[in-house]
Amino acid sequence: MEIKKITVLGAGLMGHGIAQVAAQIGKYDVTMRDIEQRFIDNGINMIRTSLQKFVSKGQITETEMNETLARIHTTLDLKQAVSNADLIIEAVPENIELKKTTFREVDVYVPKHAIIASNTSSVSITELASATKRPEKVAGMHFFNPPQLMKLIEIIKGAKTSDETIQTIQEVAQKMEKETVLVKKDTPGFIVNRILIPALNEAVALLWEDIATKEDIDKAIKLGLNWPMGPLMLLDYIGADTTLAIAEVLQHELDEKFHPHPGLKQMVKANLLGRKTGKGFYDWTQK
Ligand code: 3HC
């Protein structure tokens, strides 16, 4: 099936980046939907800032920037957002009930042929598919932050996802110039987060046990494993709340060994979430 129109639900940290990649690289006609105008305005501003960076580095022209922006439409109305779409990419906040409600509603308004994908990092694709009458046309399409720069998309097959749906999503990812991996079974954390989240959790444990300073923990992993940034800094980028939420899903759905460290829980209780609240392990208010 050929995808022409893509709708992204959510204009936040991931949603705006996915919408941008779809319009800029995939050259798709994109609709970005959120529930309040200020969220849409913020998303468009982030897209503009990102495009400006590419222009100032000579990676795209001013004309390409304007053409990309012209391909992105916005709306607050869910029905209007999805009723013409061939592919929906859901990127609403990581809350299972909200995602299920969204899938249920979207299923009513989208055309019969349309595929509904979720950018979730931890919610079961099979469970989201069950909220619709088209489970064979539901799959996971997990981008990484920032979607504009990160090459990978994990594609997740739910219990009833058809091979045709997977193939169509693979083609879309290719048009977006992304690399893909196929997660053959719908399992918590997929591939990347199942390995990443325990690593981040252990970095918190090392800090709490006062084994090393945060700077040295990050330096060790940056230089010892060639990560682009250390685990505590990455945790600040992802957000302690998101990291905790994923850890809890891994713990409850997979194995007790994934239990989050008390230190991580305390960061969340103290609202030390990282970049989004200005403070996490590091102070982001000056940057
Ligand atoms: N759009 C355009 N440009 C951007 C941008 C964006 N959204 N974000 C950053 N940039 C720019 C920076 O401003 C910088 O520009 P400058 O050189 O003019 O200052 C440039 O990109 C390069 O950035 P950096 O110099 O900081 O670093 P790198 O070039 O090495 O790479 C990076 C940037 C790819 C983001 C790198 O820092 C990185 O790989 N970080 C780790 C990211 C990561 O691990 N993401 C996965 C998180 S896990 C996840 O998302 C899953 C979820 O489910 C939890």
Side-chain angles (χ1 to χ4, degrees), residues 235-236 238-245 264 267-268 272-274 276:
L235 221 160
D236 271 1
I238 297 172
D241 51 344
T242 305
T243 308
L244 176 62
L264 181 61
M267 296 290 286
V268 175
L272 294 167
L273 304 184
K276 65 178 116 177

Side-chain angles (χ1 to χ4, degrees), residues 14 16-17 20 46 49-51 53-54 56-57 59 119-122 142-150 154 192-193 196-197 227-229 234 237-238 242-243 246:
M14 296 305 288
H16 90 275
Q20 180 183 334
M46 287 192 281
T49 307
S50 169
L51 289 169
K53 274 189 187 155
F54 292 129
S56 64
K57 287 181 190 160
Q59 289 167 342
N119 177 54
T120 184
S121 43
S122 56
H142 185 217
F143 290 76
F144 292 82
N145 190 24
Q148 294 96 331
L149 303 181
M150 300 295 286
E154 288 180 317
V192 173
N193 280 333
L196 173 66
I197 300 298
W227 286 25
M229 56 176 73
L234 182 56
Y237 268 89
I238 297 172
T242 305
T243 308
I246 304 173

Side-chain angles (χ1 to χ4, degrees), residues 156-280:
I156 302 100
K157 203 170 186 307
K160 292 185 177 167
T161 311
S162 71
D163 291 341
E164 195 194 345
T165 297
I166 295 295
Q167 195 189 332
T168 305
I169 291 181
Q170 276 166 338
E171 285 162 10
V172 170
Q174 206 171 17
K175 269 194 91 176
M176 292 180 179
E177 295 177 8
K178 297 295 186 198
E179 293 287 335
T180 62
V181 290
L182 179 62
V183 183
K184 297 191 284 179
K185 286 184 191 160
D186 181 19
T187 176
F190 316 133
I191 300 171
V192 173
N193 280 333
R194 182 149 165 192
I195 292 174
L196 173 66
I197 300 298
L200 301 186
N201 201 41
E202 280 311 304
V204 177
L206 282 168
L207 184 67
W208 271 64
E209 290 161 23
D210 204 22
I211 309 289
T213 62
K214 61 176 186 290
E215 289 82 7
D216 274 358
I217 294 168
D218 275 353
K219 183 177 173 184
I221 298 302
K222 240 182 112 168
L223 302 184
L225 292 177
N226 254 354
W227 286 25
M229 56 176 73
L232 297 172
M233 184 162 287
L234 182 56
L235 221 160
D236 271 1
Y237 268 89
I238 297 172
D241 51 344
T242 305
T243 308
L244 176 62
I246 304 173
E248 285 176 339
V249 172
L250 291 172
Q251 174 191 16
H252 296 134
E253 306 266 327
L254 214 53
D255 196 310
E256 185 54 36
K257 73 178 178 191
F258 292 103
H259 65 88
H261 191 273
L264 181 61
K265 290 186 179 171
Q266 201 180 96
M267 296 290 286
V268 175
K269 282 184 197 140
N271 204 34
L272 294 167
L273 304 184
R275 251 180 17 148
K276 65 178 116 177
T277 54
K279 264 199 184 138

